[in-house]
Structure formats: C-alpha cells, structure tokens
Amino acid sequence: VAYTGGGTAYAAATTVASNEKLYEVALLVLVVLDVALIAYLCIFQHQIEIAIEIVEEGSHVIAHQPLQLVFPFITIAIMVVLIVYFMVGAVFIGTLNNEALEGAYANMSDEFAGAYANASGYFNISADGASMPEASQLKWWLGGYHLLGFLWSANFVLATTTCTLAGSVCYWFFYRDNDDEWPRTSGPVFASLWMVVRYHLGSMAFGSLIIAVVQFLRIILEYIDQKTADLQEQNFLLKLAMKCVKCCMWCFERCIKFVSGYAYIYVALNGDSFCSACRATFMLFLNYPAQTSMNAFIQTLLRVLQCVALPLMCALSCFYYAQEVDESVNPLLPSVFALVLAYIVARVFSGVYETTIDTIFVCAMRDKDKYEGRHTPEDLAHVLDIDGAKAEER
C-alpha cells in the first residue's frame, strides 16, 4: 500500500510538472503572438486607417443603394433552382437503364456519331455500330458533363452578381456628386445588371469557366483519393503526395477566385475583357500589395463577426424565447432554423460588403492614379494622402 501511494504521488508530481511546462510554452507562444500583432499594427497603421475608411465609405454606398442588400437573394433563388436541377439530373443519369442507354447510343446517326468519334479518336465507332463504349462508361461521361455544367452555371451566376454589384458601386463613386448624371438612373443596380448582360457576359462566362474547371479537377482528385485510400495506408509517401496535391489545388482555387473577384470589378469599371482585367488586377497587387492584404484581413474579421456572432446571438435568443413561450415545446428545432437562416442572411450581407469594399478600393486607386483623386470622398482622400489643392478641385 505504501509503495502504491508513493507511486501515485510520483505520478501526480510528474503530471503537475508537465502541466507547468505546458503552461510555460503556451504563455511563451501567446507573448510571441501578442508582440507580432502589436508590431503588425504599428507597421501597417496607415493601411489599417485606409481600410477602415473604405469600410465606412462602403456603408455610405449601402445607405444610398439599399437594393444591393436585396439583389443577392435573387442570386440565392437562382442557385436553389440550379441545385435542384443538378440533383434531379444526377438521379436521372444514375438510374438510366443500361440496355436503353446502349440502345439510344447505337441508334444515333452514323454520320454524326461516326464523324465525331473518329475525328476525336476516342470512341472507335464503326459505321455499323459494332464497337461502342459500355453503359457504365457513358454514365460516367454524362455525369461528368452534368457536373461541369452545374459548376460553370453556378460560378457564372456568382460572377454576374459580383460584376453587377461592382458596377453600381463604381457608378456611385464617380457620379454621386454629378447632379446631371446621377438622377438619370433611378436604380443603379438594375442598370448595372443590364450593362453586364449587354456587354460583359462573355467575360463572366470565361472567368467562371476557369473556376469551374479547377473545381472539377478538385472533385476528380477527391475521387482518386477515396479510391486509393488502401494504397495510401500502405505507402506513406503516396499519402503525403496526395495531401500535398490536394492542398496545392485548394490554394490554387482560392487564388483564382481572389484574382477573378477583382477582375470582375475591373470589367465593370473599365469594360475590359477578362484577360485585360486580370492584367490590371495583377498590376494593382504589385502597386499596392500591403493595402490589398490589409483589406482582405479586415474583410475576414468582418465576415467572422457577421457569420459567427450574429447567427449565434439569433439562435440563443430564439432558444430562450421558445422556452418562455411554451415549455412543452423543444426549443432546439426553431433555434437551429434561426441559426441557419441568420447565417444565410449574414453571409449574403458580408458578401455584399466585401464586393463593395474591394470596388471602392479599386475605384479610389484608379481615381488617384488617373484623375488625381477628384472623385474620391473627402475622408478617404485624406487618408490616401491626396494633396489638399487637388482635393479642393473636387
């Protein structure tokens, strides 16, 4: 018994010592992070001031154009229709009868099927239809085509929404003080939508196609990862290589989306093609790298605040309210519904603010470089260090 007690005491002392060591390491890490954060704030103080002022101007834009907060819900409705269409199409493709599918393929016109297949060199279809792909292979190709079409359509809708919102913000930035120009358009959002539909659908389609192809490749990579799970368990290098490739593809998709978002703004601002807009985006990143990264950092903070704090507050409020109204009813279900609904609304609003912030930043930099800041709001012009004489010209 005495020996057991001594062993227990030794184990307890060892645990306390290890906990103290862990606390010391944690304290050291926190101190390093605090010092790094303070240094970061001191070094980029000017960029933080500009970012805060851009956010304030974004609030002014929303106040002048409240329809911007409603327009994305149209996008959500379209996305719901696309998702339903994709699910129904996937079910139809997955449940196709093999014999019927092979029969339909065999009954295709010999001129069309033979000319296309022989030209591509993939399906070796003879004139009498003796050689054809199996039904399972046809299902895979139909499913891949259906999936790529869905990704392209979804990204096309999102691109159109981004370009539309950016166009309305550009209109406000350059014409808000022009009494002759501003009253001509009672609804800048729908006027911008018409401009996108009329002139920029090609750029939207090209940019969304690039994102869709990258997402499609990521899905294929995920499928390969699942099919090779057993081999990866036996070979650590193969597993590490797969994780690295997946990480690289994720980073590549994020970069493509980030660049495309600014490119859509340049399309709305200058009427450029997508490739020209991407070139202007890279020039913006090269000229203002610190401010671009700071804007992204501020947007992330706002997104977390809006998409985490607000939905949780709504869910908790709904939970306690449901308990007070009727104690016999389980408040969990309405709380979850309130959480999901609040998150959707908060994410829509945060997306509008992000597009607005990026557009004001692009417009301000262009106005500063091209027009000496004549159209930049006074407070924003002050933090951008635009000369006072130039500001008076506005």
Side-chain angles (χ1 to χ4, degrees), residues 73-91:
F73 287 99
I74 302 177
T75 303
I76 293 178
I78 298 175
M79 293 295 292
V80 170
V81 174
L82 285 176
I83 292 174
V84 173
Y85 168 75
F86 171 74
M87 295 177 64
V88 173
V91 170

Side-chain angles (χ1 to χ4, degrees), residues 102-114 116 125 127:
E102 293 177 354
Y105 190 84
N107 291 332
M108 292 175 60
S109 171
D110 290 341
E111 292 80 5
F112 174 78
Y116 176 78
I125 301 179

Side-chain angles (χ1 to χ4, degrees), residues 52-62 172 176 356 360 377-380:
I52 293 175
E53 188 58 40
I54 291 176
V55 173
E56 292 181 1
E57 295 299 334
S59 301
H60 296 160
V61 175
I62 300 299
W172 174 89
R176 67 188 183 283
T356 303
I360 292 178
E378 183 178 356
D379 295 336
L380 183 57

Side-chain angles (χ1 to χ4, degrees), residues 210-224:
I210 296 176
I211 298 177
V213 170
V214 175
Q215 292 174 341
F216 186 72
L217 294 177
R218 286 192 63 198
I219 293 175
I220 295 177
L221 187 62
E222 187 66 31
Y223 175 78
I224 296 175

Side-chain angles (χ1 to χ4, degrees), residues 106-136:
N107 291 332
M108 292 175 60
S109 171
D110 290 341
E111 292 80 5
F112 174 78
Y116 176 78
N118 292 328
S120 63
Y122 187 79
F123 295 141
N124 185 20
I125 301 179
S126 58
D128 56 357
S131 178
M132 63 171 53
E134 297 180 355
S136 58

